[in-house]
Amino acid sequence: MVERKIGWEPQGSHTLVGGEIQRVDGKVKASGQAKYTNDINTPGTLFAKLLTSPHAHAKLVLLNIEKAKGVKGVKSVLAIAKVGDEIQYEGWPIVAIAAERPEFAEDGLRAVEFKFEPLPHFVDGSDFKGAVEADVTVGGKPLKLTKSVGKSGQGDVEVALKEAKHVHRGTYGIHMITHMSMEPHGSHAAWDGENLNVALSTENVSGTSGQYVQPVGVDAMNVNIRCDFLGSGFGSKSTVDEWDVACAKLAKATGKPVRLMLSRTTEMQIGGNRPSAFAEVTVACDAEGNVTAWDSRHWGSNGLQGSIVDHDVTPYVFLPKTRQSVSTGIATNCSPERPWRAPHHPQACAYTQTALDDLAAKAGIDSLQFFQKNLNLTSLPHIYGPELEIAAKLIDWKGKWHPRGKGSGNGPVKRGVGVALHTWDGAANQSNVTLKVHSDGSVEVVTGSQDVGTGTRTCIAQVAADTFGVSMSTIKVSLGSNQFPKAGPSEGSSTIGGVTGPVRRTAQQALWKILDLVAAKYTVERTTLTARDGKVWLGEKEVCTWKQAATLVGPMGLELYGGPVTEDEGLTNHQVGGVQMAEVAVDTETGVIRIVKMVAVQDAGMIVNRLLARSQVYSGLIMGIAYSLSEERIMDNKTGRFINANLNDYKLPRIGDIGDLVVEFYEPESEYKRGVIGLSEPPVISTGAAISNAVANAVGVRVPVLPLTPKRVLDALKGAKG
Amino acid sequence: MERDEVNRVGAGFSRREFLKGSGAAVVAGAAATSAVEGPLEAQQPATKIISAEPHTIKLNVNGKDQNLTVEPRVLLIDALRNDLNLTGCKDVCDRSTCGACTVLIDGKPVYACTRFAIEVVGQKVVTAESLHSLEKTDDVVTAFCKYDAIQCGFCTPGFVMAVRGFCNQNPGATEDACRRALGGNICRCGIYDGVLKAAYDTAQIAQ
Ligand code: FES
Ligand code: FES
């Protein structure tokens, strides 16, 4: 008898789930045949461009769009801002123009007459004192830029610090970065009578139609959203933005389809930021290296809102019994924050675990031993413990670690290793699916979810094919439309759990129905039947083929609806732990850091697709290397501008900059049994602290602020020499 | 950051200089590619001035001649994307720095945003779309799928073309040579590990 219970098979018994299965849409993506929003060019499509503010804070005192209307090829000009508006950041949209060709739209923009009256601005979120003293007004009223956004704590920190054996004080920081999605934000809009058909570059296919209702004047039921392929978003693409509204309005005004994608510079300016964070930390331990107290004050900016990294992730992962932290947000004339992969965790990890590593050095304890010793202050010691051991072997910690700055070799290039660890919730989102088994045996799964690069289509097809015991090509997955069953946004690593849960449950239910039909027809005991290799089996005896079994559902097919997954079904879970180790080589004459090797050991519950899962971890490591070494949204307080808002000057690592990346999944039975947990956010979190710690180990001093540019490295070395 | 200086420099002039004035100066087709190979002094090709009005030109793309009417200022990337609907070459950086728009011109990888459409008349342009059909899939595409050198996939066709061009020119290349050659492309999602493995595989098959 085969037990009929919703859930995954025991570890090692799945045929496709857990395997290295190539992407079902890999060929169309690699050959450029996949159409992203940015590529949609239906007949008659007009191209729209935006005029944006060059000022961080200004009053718009003149705007004349009449001349632009007469420019050759221009079809419609829309003023988004109006005279008298107070512009609050660079990149603020002013005018949108739709024209027959993009060049004509640019000609049109050049014909717009405008004038700004600049107002005082403040854009440097690292400058606490400057923010207190800055003289910025909004609507003529003085604006207080700093505001307390929370504090937390327990125990008497002063007493604990007094009693401690080692106390370390330091200031740390991590600058603001931008999402820099390769496909910019934007949409293609076309009206068909009352219907508004939008291709939207979104991570939230099911949740965006309502956002058109009020600004465009359309009924939600008439808004059709599509996103077949998405050129990444990293958390920044879950809303309909004012430029998307402008696109729909231009389409209405012209009676033609219009495509409006942000230019690269505008994308970087207003497509989202990840807040900066700076912290003054005092941390203490006893003679054995047990951390006994944490005291911190952190500040930074997420742009206009003036908020900052949540104090409830401070300190990060390690929670000493006695601790307190206060946070102060700084409002800056910078476009607002949007969630950036693992919101707030990378920053909190960076200032917490570099400070802990400095304390370890002060106490004269090997960093790894220090982290291991304090795992009792974390919520996942049973995961971090074994992960640290695996990682240590993979990077040869024993062979490579040395007291700070005491590595072998007298040359200018110094090597070092560092460690850090992280956690992430990763609970499944609320997604619905329909699953249809046709009478020819082919299977369709439909959901209003999206593929942000994780491989949503592939994972769904894998789970369905595995459950029915058929090949991947038997399954067709449709997603990316708000006409499909509602699915949650791809935020916080929630998608793969969110969609595979209902697909598994619904496929199991469909299978059982079909097996019942087989049992009736072939007069065998229904609960002894199984499906694999395209056949239905009674033990080791073949009963019929899958195709024969499927005919029993009749010409209408078998269609089931699957609602969102809940954790008590055993299909999904939450909260993972991961550790990372870095080995770096630092040129102490030039300040240039080279990544030699990165090791990531990650728990993600049950892995659905090992090939794609590994890609997620590579991705985390590489984005981590980016913000650790070179990536920075450089805000110039004099001009108020994001001075490197282009891909030449906004430095991202290239293929030669990443070193040797080693990825290992920690998937013992205990974690496997938890089911699917989100994987995309965690591996980007501790990379910064691990690299910074490796650099400190190499050169003997802390370079306190990320990214660790050559200048910051040299400054730190100079500072250490006095 | 390592960059591919050899394979993917522009035609030796800046786009902005070209856009000055009412007409556009155009380098004769052959000079455009020789400029990338010759020494600096040799990169002073003869120019001719043509009017800013739209011109009807014939482009050879993916083995087919196609007529289109474009102003001289229209870049190859825009002609491919907007006039021929070949959107595998992506417009990402607007700076000739990311490689997302890489195509082959007479077999060599070139950023399509560094050429005017009218400049490549008489040359053979190949885009990523030609590397996969129901009948045939190019080795590069197969290798990218094998090593999952694909995430969101937006930068991927550019990488695919860079690899195709590099492997055509350097069959049997070492991993190090692949790494150096592919420094002209940026991926935000982080597919570099897969790209390197795919490139190495393809280079060995190309031998
Ligand atoms: S778009 Fe051509 S190199 Fe970036
Ligand atoms: S795969 Fe997304 S940018 Fe490269």
Side-chain angles (χ1 to χ4, degrees):
Chain A
M1 174 155 153
V2 185
E3 196 195 0
R4 286 190 175 180
K5 186 173 175 296
I6 300 291
W8 303 105
E9 304 296 327
Q11 194 165 19
S13 342
H14 276 289
T15 52
L16 294 167
V17 170
E20 301 214 4
I21 308 291
Q22 293 181 17
R23 275 171 210 265
V24 294
D25 45 10
K27 286 181 182 139
V28 294
K29 278 183 169 181
S31 64
Q33 294 171 14
K35 292 283 180 193
Y36 297 73
T37 302
N38 183 64
D39 302 331
I40 293 179
N41 192 2
T42 52
T45 292
L46 302 175
F47 298 88
K49 298 221 173 228
L50 282 185
L51 177 77
T52 62
S53 168
H55 299 285
H57 191 197
K59 197 164 159 186
L60 183 62
V61 292
L62 170 80
L63 183 65
N64 182 356
I65 57 175
E66 290 312 311
K67 268 197 200 138
K69 289 181 180 165
V71 169
K72 182 185 133 195
V74 167
K75 292 291 171 192
S76 186
V77 183
L78 178 76
I80 301 174
K82 56 182 191 311
V83 168
D85 280 1
E86 192 167 326
I87 308 304
Q88 303 219 43
Y89 47 80
E90 183 193 21
W92 186 287
I94 308 292
V95 172
I97 294 186
E100 285 163 353
R101 300 189 62 99
E103 308 88 65
F104 297 153
E106 268 166 29
D107 295 342
L109 292 180
R110 276 192 285 274
V112 175
E113 294 174 337
F114 56 86
K115 203 171 161 217
F116 294 98
E117 213 172 78
L119 298 166
H121 59 251
F122 187 79
V123 297
D124 185 358
S126 68
D127 183 4
F128 191 88
K129 195 160 157 272
V132 172
E133 291 164 3
D135 179 23
V136 178
T137 57
V138 168
K141 293 199 188 83
L143 182 70
K144 191 171 179 300
L145 295 179
T146 55
K147 68 169 188 261
S148 165
V149 282
K151 58 169 155 205
S152 60
Q154 59 177 58
D156 193 328
V157 170
E158 262 173 48
V159 172
L161 288 177
K162 252 188 222 126
E163 287 170 356
K165 171 81 180 158
H166 303 284
V167 177
H168 165 74
R169 284 193 177 79
T171 303
Y172 303 87
I174 175 165
H175 275 278
M176 187 186 272
I177 63 172
T178 182
H179 294 67
M180 228 310 291
S181 305
M182 287 298 262
E183 181 188 32
H185 284 71
S187 53
H188 177 281
W191 290 84
D192 173 12
E194 289 185 331
N195 291 319
L196 171 60
N197 299 321
V198 188
L200 184 67
S201 182
T202 185
E203 296 167 295
N204 187 12
V205 167
S206 295
T208 28
S209 62
Q211 298 175 42
Y212 278 101
V213 171
Q214 195 270 329
V216 179
V218 60
D219 291 333
M221 64 183 177
N222 294 330
V223 182
N224 302 322
I225 308 279
R226 274 215 77 98
C227 181
D228 289 332
F229 294 96
L230 177 70
S232 70
F234 310 112
S236 71
K237 291 180 176 169
S238 58
T239 50
V240 170
D241 290 298
E242 51 194 324
W243 51 86
D244 301 313
V245 169
C247 181
K249 285 184 176 169
L250 288 168
K252 183 137 218 178
T254 57
K256 298 222 170 192
V258 175
R259 189 173 87 203
L260 194 166
M261 306 301 291
L262 297 187
S263 72
R264 180 51 47 190
T265 291
T266 306
E267 170 66 25
M268 296 177 79
Q269 288 167 341
I270 64 176
N273 77 60
R274 182 182 89 173
S276 59
F278 302 86
E280 282 172 9
V281 176
T282 305
V283 61
C285 65
D286 63 18
E288 281 78 51
N290 299 302
V291 179
T292 51
W294 169 278
D295 186 9
S296 69
R297 177 181 83 86
H298 73 265
W299 68 95
S301 182
N302 72 343
L304 214 49
Q305 306 108 312
S307 193
I308 174 64
V309 168
D310 275 346
H311 61 90
D312 58 10
V313 287
T314 306
Y316 187 69
V317 173
F318 292 93
L319 299 177
K321 267 200 198 70
T322 308
R323 59 181 190 267
Q324 65 186 21
S325 81
V326 293
S327 49
T328 311
I330 298 179
T332 49
N333 293 104
C334 211
S335 68
E337 169 187 9
R338 295 183 181 215
W340 192 101
R341 204 170 180 177
H344 300 187
H345 284 230
Q347 299 98 310
C349 185
Y351 57 66
T352 300
Q353 298 189 14
T354 48
L356 289 178
D357 189 60
D358 286 346
L359 179 63
K362 191 158 194 175
I365 302 175
D366 173 318
S367 311
L368 174 59
Q369 280 168 17
F370 187 85
F371 276 61
Q372 282 169 326
K373 184 182 282 288
N374 285 290
L375 286 183
N376 59 329
L377 303 181
T378 75
S379 58
L380 305 168
H382 58 290
I383 292 176
Y384 296 133
E387 283 182 343
L388 283 171
E389 295 202 354
I390 297 167
K393 277 206 191 90
L394 289 170
I395 208 154
D396 184 21
W397 185 276
K398 271 211 184 91
K400 300 225 161 107
W401 187 84
H402 48 72
R404 276 202 179 167
K406 300 265 167 9
S408 57
N410 300 321
V413 178
K414 308 288 184 199
R415 289 212 178 196
V417 287
V419 58
L421 42 86
H422 57 257
T423 187
W424 184 253
D425 181 82
N429 68 16
Q430 299 282 298
S431 290
N432 300 270
V433 304
T434 55
L435 183 145
K436 184 164 183 174
V437 181
H438 291 274
S439 59
D440 67 347
S442 63
V443 177
E444 255 182 289
V445 184
V446 183
T447 173
S449 188
Q450 50 275 320
D451 185 355
V452 303
T454 335
T456 315
R457 282 186 184 86
T458 313
C459 292
I460 289 175
Q462 235 182 308
V463 168
D466 187 298
T467 308
F468 293 121
V470 297
S471 66
M472 292 282 286
S473 60
T474 311
I475 316 289
K476 177 174 153 189
V477 180
S478 302
L479 45 76
S481 165
N482 72 332
Q483 308 299 299
F484 298 160
K486 185 171 85 174
S490 291
E491 283 170 353
S493 299
S494 58
T495 305
I496 297 302
V499 297
T500 55
V503 170
R504 171 68 176 174
R505 182 206 313 119
T506 315
Q508 282 186 300
Q509 289 164 342
L511 176 67
W512 295 334
K513 279 197 199 305
I514 291 169
L515 293 183
D516 287 354
L517 295 171
V518 171
K521 180 169 162 102
Y522 295 92
T523 50
V524 288
E525 173 51 43
R526 63 185 193 109
T527 55
T528 51
L529 292 175
T530 55
R532 70 187 138 84
D533 302 331
K535 292 180 179 135
V536 176
W537 304 81
L538 181 71
E540 290 306 306
K541 202 172 137 258
E542 181 186 329
V543 179
C544 65
T545 63
W546 167 254
K547 272 185 183 295
Q548 287 167 332
T551 57
L552 303 176
V553 304
M556 299 291 283
L558 171 66
E559 185 171 308
L560 296 184
Y561 191 87
V565 71
T566 57
E567 278 185 14
D568 50 24
E569 293 177 275
L571 292 165
T572 61
N573 209 295
H574 71 282
Q575 214 68 42
V576 297
V579 310
Q580 296 192 358
M581 291 188 182
E583 183 185 1
V584 300
V586 187
D587 186 328
T588 52
E589 287 174 351
T590 63
V592 171
I593 297 167
R594 185 167 64 81
I595 302 293
V596 179
K597 186 172 181 171
M598 293 290 312
V599 170
V601 183
Q602 184 64 50
D603 139 51
M606 185 195 93
I607 304 287
V608 177
N609 183 326
R610 219 156 290 274
L611 180 67
L612 273 49
R614 211 179 297 124
S615 290
Q616 285 300 305
V617 184
Y618 284 138
S619 167
L621 287 170
I622 293 170
M623 282 185 100
I625 291 169
Y627 75 70
S628 300
L629 296 190
S630 58
E631 178 185 6
E632 178 178 345
R633 177 176 174 133
I634 304 173
M635 298 302 301
D636 176 40
N637 217 19
K638 207 161 194 177
T639 57
R641 306 193 74 168
F642 173 3
I643 54 174
N644 58 334
N646 66 74
L647 264 180
N648 270 344
D649 302 322
Y650 191 85
K651 292 290 184 197
L652 295 174
R654 293 175 186 253
I655 200 166
D657 299 317
I658 57 167
D660 182 15
L661 307 181
V662 179
V663 173
E664 184 85 11
F665 289 108
Y666 179 63
E667 200 190 15
E669 209 199 340
S670 53
E671 306 316 311
Y672 175 90
K673 280 208 313 236
R674 300 202 294 156
V676 185
I677 313 178
L679 173 63
S680 171
E681 335 278 292
V684 83
I685 298 171
S686 60
T687 321
I691 290 174
S692 180
N693 289 345
V695 170
N697 183 247
V699 302
V701 295
R702 172 67 58 186
V703 186
V705 174
L706 297 178
L708 308 171
T709 58
K711 180 171 189 308
R712 292 197 179 110
V713 173
L714 293 179
D715 285 351
L717 287 168
K718 234 182 270 161
K721 273 194 204 131
Chain B
M1 308 266 160
E2 291 177 50
R3 299 292 298 280
D4 171 17
E5 304 300 348
V6 185
N7 288 284
R8 237 89 50 79
V9 290
F13 42 76
S14 100
R15 209 162 102 190
R16 254 161 217 88
E17 263 170 67
F18 263 84
L19 297 175
K20 276 190 225 152
S22 59
V26 174
V27 184
T33 43
S34 64
V36 305
E37 289 161 345
L40 212 59
E41 315 81 68
Q43 293 183 19
Q44 303 295 337
T47 59
K48 61 176 179 177
I49 305 296
I50 62 167
S51 82
E53 293 308 305
H55 292 249
T56 300
I57 56 171
K58 190 185 281 178
L59 290 190
N60 185 283
V61 184
N62 297 334
K64 264 197 281 181
D65 279 339
Q66 312 240 31
N67 287 322
L68 58 157
T69 303
V70 289
E71 290 182 14
R73 63 172 166 166
V74 171
L75 299 171
L76 175 59
I77 184 176
D78 291 326
L80 290 172
R81 292 179 52 81
N82 303 338
D83 295 86
L84 302 178
N85 213 1
L86 290 166
T87 52
C89 99
K90 305 288 185 213
D91 49 337
V92 168
C93 69
D94 195 32
R95 297 273 158 152
S96 306
T97 193
C98 76
C101 62
T102 303
V103 297
L104 302 186
I105 298 181
D106 288 343
K108 292 179 190 163
V110 175
Y111 294 157
C113 68
T114 60
R115 293 286 196 278
F116 295 106
I118 57 170
E119 239 183 297
V120 300
V121 171
Q123 295 186 292
K124 289 193 164 37
V125 179
V126 173
T127 71
E129 284 90 341
S130 69
L131 299 191
H132 170 62
S133 67
L134 280 181
E135 294 81 50
K136 197 172 160 19
T137 301
D138 189 274
D139 292 335
V140 183
V141 171
T142 306
F144 268 63
C145 292
K146 178 174 173 197
Y147 294 108
D148 202 39
I150 306 162
Q151 282 181 42
C152 79
F154 206 72
C155 70
T156 313
F159 267 106
V160 163
M161 294 314 284
V163 170
R164 184 67 278 166
F166 173 73
C167 293
N168 289 348
Q169 294 173 310
N170 303 276
T174 62
E175 193 180 289
D176 249 1
C178 293
R179 192 182 282 116
R180 270 200 304 280
L182 296 170
N185 292 59
I186 292 177
C187 171
R188 178 54 154 166
C189 299
I191 60 168
Y192 296 142
D193 191 85
V195 170
L196 191 57
K197 290 172 181 149
Y200 179 76
D201 256 27
T202 311
Q204 310 319 307
I205 297 171
Q207 251 179 328

